[in-house]
Amino acid sequence: MLPLVEWLRPRQAAMTRLLGQFVRAESPSFDKTAVDRFGRMVAAEWRRRGAKVTLLRQRKRGDHIRAEWNPRGYRARGQILVLGHLDTVYGRGILARMPFRLSRGRAYGPGVFDMKGGLVIALFAVDALNVTGCVPEKRIVFLWTSDEEIGSGTSRAAIEREARRSDAVLVLEPALGLDGRVKTGRKGVGEIEIVATGRAAHAGLNPKDGINAIEEIALQIARISRWNQPGRGITVNAGVIEGGTRTNVIPDRARVLVDVRAVRAGDMRALERKFRALRPILRGAKLQIRGGFNRPPMERKNSAGLYVKARSLAREMGVTLGEAYVGGGSDGNFTAALGVPTLDGLGAVGEGAHSPDENILIRALPERAALVAGLLATI
Ligand SMILES: [Zn+2]
């Protein structure tokens, strides 16, 4: 580890310069032209380092970039997948209000933390390995996708295909907290819609002919709310409710949208089964259940081994590397769910993702690059 970090520390200014170029190339998820322009910049950096770059062309979204770095050629023993994304949550023109700037040891700008800092870290990790002659045993595939911030609709298949061929997945999403904790667990996340159908009738003249769909939905919400188990990491939240037309009409339709999260894959499946098994409570009412989990949980058992390795590499540099469990999802959820060891949050150290104040700690850039390089060389 020491040769890596000693080579990287004096490169802090060069890393910051490249980061500035990346942040100044805006790349909103929905703007294909802009994402592709930024993608060409990233692809050129990888070609310069001898990687084989392939563009996975997309019609509506930006092209995904696959950069394969295989210093041992046909003698490579296995594959490591490094994941990240090119897109940011900000709209075009945000730089006018949120320019790239340096202040008191931090770099600010749209996407600087989530996750253009991670893209710079990967490039310098490879530089450090090349210069110090620590050549990885495995082929390394870097997959930079264009639509992570909008659910990874066009990239999920490619992510899963590469993950299946890999012995480990490193995700360069932001770290948690200014102490740079990596993410060893993420909840699975889903959305479920319950639609109740009743029968309309006049609330005054013939109430006995009506079946109240709102009442049916209310009873169902009371039932599913009891499935919350915060201590076990299971949450069920009725977040949106709709139904009814006028107060003197017994409503024949109502619906509720429910956010569901779980820490364990088994709990996720059990919860989905319970929703599917819901039956009407009012006589004559009908229920429809749609949706389910769209990102499975990233369970700690799939990250623990890589975390232990990363922690001991960090210790060699005199850095204490903590771990964190988070409620939100990333592309690491997909790869961990396939059973491939996955470590997330290896990217930049900073604060304020998706906010006007988004920033990173500049001095952490060389250390993070050394940590990624150390992992690539020793997995
Ligand atoms: Zn991100």
Side-chain angles (χ1 to χ4, degrees):
M1 280 311 281
L2 285 178
L4 291 169
V5 77
E6 276 164 14
W7 186 83
L8 280 159
R9 280 222 171 94
R11 303 286 169 321
Q12 185 173 300
M15 294 183 84
T16 312
R17 257 196 314 279
L18 184 62
L19 182 60
Q21 289 174 29
F22 280 6
V23 172
R24 288 189 193 102
E26 292 183 348
S27 54
S29 311
F30 292 107
D31 189 337
K32 175 171 171 62
T33 311
V35 175
D36 284 348
R37 192 181 309 125
F38 174 52
R40 281 194 293 276
M41 194 185 258
V42 174
E45 292 293 332
W46 285 97
R47 285 198 192 96
R48 198 167 299 149
R49 284 157 178 88
K52 197 177 107 200
V53 176
T54 317
L55 295 185
L56 311 181
R57 307 246 180 217
Q58 305 298 318
R59 212 139 43 91
K60 284 171 101 180
R61 303 285 173 243
D63 297 337
H64 312 307
I65 295 176
R66 181 188 188 275
E68 181 179 319
W69 183 53
N70 193 5
R72 294 205 188 245
Y74 66 91
R75 283 167 298 139
R77 278 187 277 170
Q79 173 170 309
I80 302 174
L81 175 62
V82 182
L83 275 185
H85 58 90
L86 303 164
D87 61 322
T88 73
V89 296
Y90 304 93
R92 180 136 44 152
I94 188 79
L95 277 169
R97 268 177 295 139
M98 213 181 144
F100 178 77
R101 66 187 174 94
L102 307 179
S103 167
R104 298 167 185 247
R106 309 253 188 143
Y108 293 78
V112 71
F113 182 37
D114 188 6
M115 53 147 279
K116 292 182 175 178
L119 299 177
V120 171
I121 285 168
L123 286 161
F124 278 80
V126 167
D127 285 343
L129 291 170
N130 270 328
V131 170
T132 56
C134 303
V135 177
E137 294 276 310
K138 298 187 194 298
R139 170 177 66 245
I140 320 286
V141 171
F142 299 87
L143 190 57
W144 309 128
T145 63
S146 67
D147 62 351
E148 196 275 342
E149 297 289 7
I150 51 173
S152 308
T154 70
S155 52
R156 181 174 180 173
I159 291 165
E160 292 183 336
R161 187 170 60 238
E162 292 295 345
R164 284 199 188 91
R165 294 181 193 143
S166 301
D167 306 299
V169 179
L170 307 180
V171 187
L172 297 193
E173 288 280 0
L176 192 82
L178 291 177
D179 55 347
R181 276 162 284 161
V182 292
K183 296 168 185 173
T184 52
R186 287 180 180 272
K187 280 190 177 180
V189 188
E191 189 178 286
I192 293 179
E193 180 187 32
I194 308 175
V195 180
T197 312
R199 193 190 308 129
H202 194 294
L205 295 179
N206 54 345
K208 285 210 296 291
D209 293 340
I211 301 167
N212 189 322
I214 291 179
E215 191 182 339
E216 175 64 34
I217 281 291
L219 294 168
Q220 296 294 346
I221 291 171
R223 180 189 272 173
I224 63 173
S225 298
R226 289 198 296 273
W227 299 345
N228 272 297
Q229 288 185 62
R232 214 180 142 79
I234 300 173
T235 60
V236 176
N237 177 59
V240 177
I241 185 163
E242 278 174 4
T245 52
R246 292 167 167 271
T247 56
N248 60 358
V249 176
I250 294 180
D252 65 348
R253 195 176 175 281
R255 66 170 199 143
V256 60
L257 288 177
V258 186
D259 178 282
V260 286
R261 289 170 198 257
V263 169
R264 297 174 179 83
D267 288 346
M268 170 185 86
R269 287 189 289 269
L271 204 54
E272 280 184 330
R273 277 196 301 274
K274 276 159 82 174
F275 271 95
R276 295 263 142 64
L278 283 175
R279 292 293 171 262
I281 294 171
L282 299 179
R283 236 180 60 200
K286 291 194 187 82
L287 282 186
Q288 277 177 290
I289 317 291
R290 298 192 195 115
F293 277 82
N294 38 43
R295 284 189 202 262
M298 185 175 112
E299 298 184 85
R300 191 180 182 281
K301 64 177 187 218
N302 290 317
S303 302
L306 285 175
Y307 169 60
V308 169
K309 188 176 257 301
R311 193 179 50 188
S312 75
L313 291 171
R315 200 175 291 138
E316 288 176 35
M317 295 188 285
V319 174
T320 310
L321 185 69
E323 63 177 315
Y325 191 90
V326 292
S330 87
D331 288 337
N333 289 55
F334 297 139
T335 62
L338 296 173
V340 186
T342 298
L343 191 59
D344 201 340
L346 281 164
V349 179
E351 285 179 307
H354 302 193
S355 88
D357 205 35
E358 180 165 346
N359 68 82
I360 64 153
L361 281 181
I362 294 169
R363 70 175 149 74
L365 284 172
E367 273 167 19
R368 299 302 271 197
L371 181 59
V372 171
L375 284 165
L376 294 178
T378 56
I379 288 174

